[in-house]
Amino acid sequence: MSPAARLRALKPDWLSDPQVWRTEVLAGLVVGLALIPEAISFSVIAGVEPAVGLFSAFTMAVVISVVGGRRAMISAATGAVALVVAPLNREHGLGYLVAAVVLAGVFQVVLGALGVARLMRFVPRSVMVGFVNALAVLVFMAQIPEMTDVPWAVYPLIAGGLAMTVLFPRITKAVPAPLVSIAVLTVITVAAGIAVPTVGDKGALPSALPVPGLPDVPFTLGTLTTVAPYALAMALVGLMESLMTAKLVDDLTDTHSDKTRESIGQGIANIVTGLFGGMGGCAMIGQTMINVKVSGARTRLSTFLAGAFLMVLCIVFGPVVSDIPMAALVAVMVMVSFATFDWHSVAPKTLRRMPGGEILVMLVTVVCVVATHNLAIGVVVGSVTAMVIFAKRVARLADVTSVTDPDHATVVYRVTGELFFASSNDLVGRFDYAGDPRHVVIDLSAAHIWDASSVAALDAVETKYAQRGKTVEITGLNTPSADLHDRLSGEFANGH
């Protein structure tokens, strides 16, 4: 490949295609607008000034657009991270919170380098579906406070915003419908003097860029032991949400992303955010859905511009942004929740065909997430539930059949299936120790030994026969099973 061709291959799409450039810029603007009330709300949860959440959204989005592994994904201050660090801020102050954010970023870099992203292969599809559906429910629930105890004019504004978001794409897709909806509703409320809650009611917008600096804490072992538990929890929650979001975007766009780079990138973004005095964050699925699914963005430019526009809107156009009615943003987020929910997964036709265990795992994931407002907890509980159901299902596949030769001198037991802790527990009781002849053959050619529990069970069978003066011959072991059996057999005295 010539240098010119190599340069063209490395050139971003948005530099060569005006349509892609326009899509990315407008998508970044829409997301930047949507980030403002969200960041302010999460600041309230964490117990910090609104500017802290807004700075976090700015630095997270800008940094991750460069170092992240998933293009077009949005990272900013999030509710899950805010919930983790809120007790630390309440008990020790902002300086300790910022120190925890920096340390969490270091943890994420280390975990990413160690390959934590590979653990995503153990998340079943049913958990992923439950995760997405729970997210949609949480996004909708987050809008309910904006629709209760408000002036009556809020409701027609929301209805109008929903109508424009649905109908405007039928006219043209050159401009994102959410942006049109936000602009039109803002003009209407300002021109008509309609008194409804606005973005400005959420808190004061910053008037200058953040300044970097070290956390205002004593650099002692005591400080480290105080912030480390919170930092580790934040690192794990942030990575889980980010990797799940990256996988979701992969599926939506039919593209692959570098999960290890994303894990390390999240850490770098949090380190930078902490050094700028931010509250940290991770991937935001709601804003990512606005960017990818609603606005059609596909490149890093939209992520970068979402953060850049956020600061420009706050600092340069603060008075204008403050006049945006919350009803306009509520309408956008309601449409996001509707579009995010996997309606096919709850269709009667799907539920009739889906195995009961898969449905249970999806429901457990949704219920846990909605009950705790923590996506990470739901994913862990859902994955554990799926593993338990899988173990019980596989355990039932193990079977034992016996054949006695005509002269009654030998009995052959044929064991089929997967032998592991769940299936091997019943293995010991499947033999007739008193009634069998003196020579017993256990044929494992149709079985596989997976763990020490299975070896211990076979040892227990041999011991019970030996106590009656009978010999046991184990045959048919495949190479991995034979290696495990030879290595562990006899190590479990008295069956322990």
Side-chain angles (χ1 to χ4, degrees), residues 160-180:
L162 291 172
M164 279 186 280
T165 305
V166 172
L167 298 177
F168 190 78
R170 299 182 182 181
I171 301 173
T172 178
K173 294 184 179 180
V175 181
L179 183 59
V180 174

Side-chain angles (χ1 to χ4, degrees), residues 71-95:
R71 293 183 299 172
M73 191 167 77
I74 304 297
S75 291
T78 60
V81 170
L83 288 170
V84 171
V85 298
L88 179 62
N89 179 65
R90 185 168 56 250
E91 296 171 14
H92 298 280
L94 180 61

Side-chain angles (χ1 to χ4, degrees), residues 411-434:
V411 61
V412 178
Y413 283 93
R414 181 174 175 81
V415 181
T416 59
E418 309 300 318
L419 298 182
F420 64 110
F421 62 90
S423 59
S424 61
N425 285 335
D426 297 329
L427 187 65
V428 179
R430 303 294 295 274
F431 298 86
D432 184 4
Y433 302 101

Side-chain angles (χ1 to χ4, degrees), residues 97-121:
L97 183 154
V98 172
V101 171
V102 175
L103 184 57
V106 174
F107 283 150
Q108 288 178 329
V109 171
V110 173
L111 290 170
L114 292 176
V116 70
R118 288 194 292 270
L119 295 177
M120 286 301 297
R121 73 180 72 177

Side-chain angles (χ1 to χ4, degrees), residues 232-420:
L232 182 59
M234 175 185 164
L236 294 174
V237 168
L239 281 181
M240 187 170 294
E241 290 209 29
S242 299
L243 294 175
M244 291 290 287
T245 306
K247 189 174 186 300
L248 176 61
V249 178
D250 288 352
D251 294 339
L252 284 174
T253 59
D254 292 325
T255 57
H256 175 73
S257 61
D258 188 338
K259 305 300 189 303
T260 297
R261 178 178 173 179
E262 182 62 37
S263 302
I264 296 173
Q266 288 290 328
I268 295 172
N270 272 304
I271 292 172
V272 173
T273 298
L275 294 177
F276 275 91
M279 57 182 278
C282 61
M284 298 187 73
I285 307 184
Q287 272 65 25
T288 298
M289 289 299 100
I290 293 176
N291 197 45
V292 175
K293 197 167 186 177
V294 178
S295 301
R298 292 294 184 271
T299 76
R300 298 178 184 275
L301 179 63
S302 58
T303 305
F304 175 85
L305 290 178
F309 280 141
L310 169 65
M311 275 294 98
V312 171
L313 289 168
C314 291
I315 296 173
V316 180
F317 300 103
V320 176
V321 173
S322 296
D323 288 334
I324 295 176
M326 285 301 300
L329 298 176
V330 169
V332 172
M333 297 309 293
V334 168
M335 285 303 303
V336 168
S337 68
F338 184 86
T340 301
F341 196 91
D342 186 351
W343 297 100
H344 175 74
S345 66
V346 295
K349 184 178 179 180
T350 303
L351 295 176
R352 284 195 299 268
R353 295 180 177 181
M354 191 72 66
E358 301 282 316
I359 297 173
L360 177 62
V361 169
M362 180 182 71
L363 290 176
V364 166
T365 304
V366 172
V367 170
C368 286
V369 172
V370 173
T372 64
H373 284 235
N374 190 319
L375 294 164
I377 291 177
V379 171
V380 171
V381 174
S383 297
V384 171
T385 303
M387 292 175 187
V388 172
I389 292 173
F390 174 76
K392 291 184 65 176
R393 187 181 303 160
V394 175
R396 289 198 296 267
L397 298 178
D399 193 22
V400 179
T401 56
S402 63
V403 177
T404 305
D405 67 356
D407 61 2
H408 297 281
T410 301
V411 61
V412 178
Y413 283 93
R414 181 174 175 81
V415 181
T416 59
E418 309 300 318
L419 298 182
F420 64 110

Side-chain angles (χ1 to χ4, degrees), residues 18-34:
Q19 184 174 353
V20 173
W21 184 86
R22 182 175 64 248
T23 299
E24 300 297 312
V25 171
L26 293 176
L29 180 57
V30 173
V31 175
L33 287 168

Side-chain angles (χ1 to χ4, degrees), residues 419-421 424-425 449-460 484-485 487-492 495-496:
L419 298 182
F420 64 110
F421 62 90
S424 61
N425 285 335
I449 298 176
W450 287 102
D451 59 7
S453 297
S454 303
V455 177
L458 291 172
D459 281 358
L484 184 63
H485 185 265
R487 188 167 67 251
L488 298 180
S489 182
E491 298 294 327
F492 309 98
H496 298 299

